[in-house]
Amino acid sequence: MTFTTTRNFGNWIDGSWRQASGREIERRNPSNGTLVSRFRDSTEADVDMAVLSAKTAFRTKWAGATGAERSAVLARAADIIWRRADELAFFEMAESGKPAKQARVEIERSSMLWTYAATQARSITGDSFGQLGDCYFAATVRAPLGVAAIITPWNFPFLIISQKLPFALAAGCAAVVKPSELTSATTLLLGEILQEAGLPDGVLNVVAGSGATCGDLLLHHPDIDMISFTGSTKVGKHAMRVGADGMKKVSLELGGKNAHIVMADADLDDALDAALHGAFLNAGQSCNQGSRLLLQSSIAAEFIRKFVDCAARVTVGDTQADGMLLGPIINKDQYDKIVDYIAVGKAEGATLALGGTHREENGGYFIDPTVFTGVRPHMRIAREEIFGPVVSILEFETLEDAIALANESVYGLSAGIWTGNVSHAMKAVQSLNAGTVWVNTYLDGPAELPFGGVGESGIGREVGKLGVEEFTDIKTVQIRSGGYSRRWVGQAIEAPNA
Ligand code: NAD
């Protein structure tokens, strides 16, 4: 099936399409400028309507649904995502510019997250306490937090909403989702998908629009109970400040400057492939990008020669053509920012070993794989998130040096190490300051495993069992079943139980 016509989207509120009332926003394919989708920015009235719909549906329809009922909806949604995978992959590819094959894989992986969350919906448990005394029992119960405001970025739109929304729904929360204004289509289509899957109207609402207007209105809304945000550290900090004012739970998945370490004792062919994939997947527009490649000095020269040779063969261009591995940069702003960083790297004295070349062509924004060697830890290209196909190579002598270099960052999202020595691997796992450490692999992420960062990479975890628990609160329940024998008035005051 082909999807070549431009689609006009409304907001998805209370189970139907509603035209938002703000200015029109167009999304063009960043590969070639073709118009892909149109929608309107959401105003205060639109956001109010969405939050009210979620609040009502939470109370009347979803908080009281059984785990089995929630699970059935999520499992059906996974099947429908699979059935509509061609359409979802088309919009994912056309709005973000990523290669069609990659977009398809991301939709399939997303479907698996919905399947996994379906299993979790039936397994939300607390603890029980049976040793507190005769006829005295207590338990903790995990209760859904309420209405979750979910805000997502443009780099992996459907994958990222699928790391959050099915887990929120499994927990029993209702949601108002605001996708990036650059890639809203697939998240909006979830409205139709979940309705067909049997989700009661109002439990999911999707409001389209810009961050500064619609996103900010949502963050500030008094009737949301939680903020689940993925995006830049700058906006994440803003979300946290707003959340603090409203005393909301805040969960943040933010930027990274991830260290990918290669020791001399590693399988260097495997490490080479992973280093290339880690650096250039999605044109480097990935929070997990292995943007700092740390090489042990004894193998550095040969590894760099092979890395540059392979990176030079990465195909770059309009991803509607078959065989493109690397697509465009998402928009002109981001393109200009990366081009500036390439100039900064040169000015700082790093050696441009490959690339640095870029072009605006037929409405698309392309930057070739770019490799800097001789990078020193103080340089901006070693410290700041560039979010493009630019990798900074640093060298080290010992494992201790590598760990110190890796940890010299305000971020702590993920890190990788390639080594054939189990002691090196264990030392790295213990010492690397990151939410995920990959050993002899990179970018793996099964649905069972929690994901998140430390430091300026965020707070909280998503995916896995913890991904559901993130959307719950703990309620402590105490029950005395043998009668209540104390009399506070008229008797000596007892110390409370400690
Ligand atoms: P961004 O912070 O600019 O935007 C993210 C979302 O926030 C978008 O929907 C945007 O419209 C919205 N937004 C912007 N300003 C807002 C405001 N004032 N109030 C409310 N919402 C607002 O990020 P981006 O450019 O879309 O994405 C790239 C960033 O996301 C990178 O830093 C990347 O590392 C990070 N990211 C992190 C993860 C992770 O899991 N840790 C995953 C993907 C991307």
Side-chain angles (χ1 to χ4, degrees):
M1 205 188 297
T2 51
F3 306 89
T4 47
T5 49
T6 304
R7 180 158 172 175
N8 296 317
F9 287 95
N11 285 340
W12 182 266
I13 297 179
D14 205 18
S16 62
W17 293 112
R18 313 272 176 109
Q19 186 76 272
S21 34
R23 74 187 163 97
E24 186 175 270
I25 299 178
E26 286 185 343
R27 181 59 188 154
R28 292 181 180 273
N29 186 326
S31 267
N32 51 39
T34 319
L35 186 61
V36 182
S37 53
R38 278 195 210 95
F39 52 93
R40 288 189 173 279
D41 203 0
S42 297
T43 60
E44 191 166 0
D46 301 316
V47 173
D48 281 350
M49 196 196 308
V51 175
L52 178 63
S53 163
K55 190 177 164 182
T56 310
F58 171 70
R59 288 194 187 144
T60 60
K61 301 174 184 169
W62 198 238
T66 64
E69 287 162 345
R70 292 180 200 150
S71 175
V73 169
L74 297 173
R76 282 193 295 268
D79 289 345
I80 300 166
I81 289 169
W82 201 269
R83 196 188 77 217
R84 292 180 68 167
D86 285 347
E87 179 189 11
L88 291 164
F90 165 77
F91 280 109
E92 203 76 339
M93 178 272 288
E95 286 192 337
S96 73
K98 61 181 70 206
K101 205 162 137 193
Q102 183 194 322
R104 174 77 199 201
V105 169
E106 286 172 23
I107 300 299
E108 291 174 4
R109 273 190 61 196
S110 302
S111 165
M112 291 178 212
L113 288 163
W114 288 81
T115 305
Y116 175 79
T119 66
Q120 287 299 306
R122 302 189 71 162
S123 314
I124 299 168
T125 56
D127 290 320
S128 61
F129 302 81
Q131 77 298 352
L132 299 173
D134 279 350
C135 301
Y136 184 17
F137 174 79
T140 54
V141 177
R142 285 199 173 268
L145 270 161
V147 177
I150 300 180
I151 299 182
T152 53
W154 47 261
N155 59 341
F156 294 100
F158 201 70
L159 203 52
I160 288 173
I161 189 59
S162 300
Q163 291 180 180
K164 295 174 181 291
L165 182 60
F167 296 86
L169 297 177
C173 287
V176 180
V177 180
K178 202 229 53 96
S180 167
E181 55 274 40
L182 301 174
T183 53
S184 306
T186 52
T187 303
L188 285 160
L189 287 172
L190 272 174
E192 290 180 355
I193 289 168
L194 280 160
Q195 187 173 60
E196 185 186 341
L199 187 74
D201 291 347
V203 179
L204 167 65
N205 305 274
V206 186
V207 286
S210 78
T213 54
C214 167
D216 215 41
L217 285 163
L218 185 56
L219 286 182
H220 281 92
H221 203 290
D223 286 338
I224 59 159
D225 301 292
M226 174 184 181
I227 296 166
S228 172
F229 174 87
T230 299
S232 63
T233 296
K234 181 171 168 239
V235 180
K237 286 181 179 178
H238 170 67
M240 193 156 182
R241 280 185 217 109
V242 176
D245 280 345
M247 202 53 93
K248 315 287 184 197
K249 176 163 182 182
V250 180
S251 181
L252 303 170
E253 299 290 340
L254 309 175
K257 188 75 185 179
N258 311 294
H260 200 167
I261 302 169
V262 182
M263 305 286 298
D265 57 27
D267 181 320
L268 296 176
D269 289 338
D270 289 353
L272 178 67
D273 186 76
L276 288 158
H277 184 230
F280 300 122
L281 175 74
N282 216 41
Q285 301 167 118
S286 163
C287 56
N288 276 322
Q289 184 195 23
S291 49
R292 289 186 293 156
L293 183 56
L294 310 190
L295 303 177
Q296 197 155 24
S297 296
S298 56
I299 51 118
E302 182 61 4
F303 196 93
I304 289 170
R305 191 186 64 70
K306 288 184 177 164
F307 187 86
V308 165
D309 183 51
C310 290
R313 289 188 279 125
V314 170
T315 43
V316 184
D318 183 340
T319 42
Q320 291 194 135
D322 280 344
M324 288 301 163
L325 275 177
L326 206 143
I329 304 307
I330 190 76
N331 63 8
K332 174 91 168 96
D333 286 352
Q334 186 64 19
Y335 173 84
D336 288 343
K337 186 181 131 193
I338 300 165
V339 170
D340 275 355
Y341 268 114
I342 293 171
V344 166
K346 290 185 204 164
E348 284 179 316
T351 304
L352 184 63
L354 180 74
T357 36
H358 48 86
R359 60 204 163 277
E360 293 182 49
E361 194 175 79
N362 300 327
Y365 310 100
F366 300 96
I367 299 182
D368 294 315
T370 296
V371 181
F372 279 108
T373 57
V375 177
R376 309 293 307 153
H378 67 271
M379 294 179 182
R380 284 181 61 201
I381 60 166
R383 310 181 81 82
E384 298 174 17
E385 186 184 46
I386 299 173
F387 223 57
V390 180
V391 63
S392 299
I393 299 185
L394 294 89
E395 295 182 29
F396 64 87
E397 297 300 330
T398 65
L399 176 63
E400 287 69 24
D401 297 341
I403 291 167
L405 270 179
N407 287 345
E408 202 174 318
S409 175
V410 295
Y411 295 110
L413 189 59
S414 51
I417 179 161
W418 289 82
T419 176
N421 180 321
V422 73
S423 308
H424 287 160
M426 288 310 298
K427 172 92 178 151
V429 166
Q430 281 167 354
S431 312
L432 287 169
N433 195 26
T436 292
V437 178
W438 284 294
V439 178
N440 293 337
T441 182
Y442 201 79
L443 291 184
D444 275 335
E448 289 83 350
L449 301 184
F451 175 67
V454 299
E456 299 221 348
S457 290
I459 289 177
R461 292 293 178 269
E462 53 191 31
V463 185
K465 185 173 156 58
L466 288 175
V468 181
E469 291 179 354
E470 194 78 1
F471 290 93
T472 64
D473 243 343
I474 291 215
K475 186 176 286 179
T476 303
V477 182
Q478 304 188 41
I479 303 170
R480 287 198 187 263
S481 57
Y484 184 77
S485 58
R486 283 185 307 208
R487 293 295 173 265
W488 185 59
V489 178
Q491 288 191 8
I493 294 175
E494 290 173 27
N497 291 342

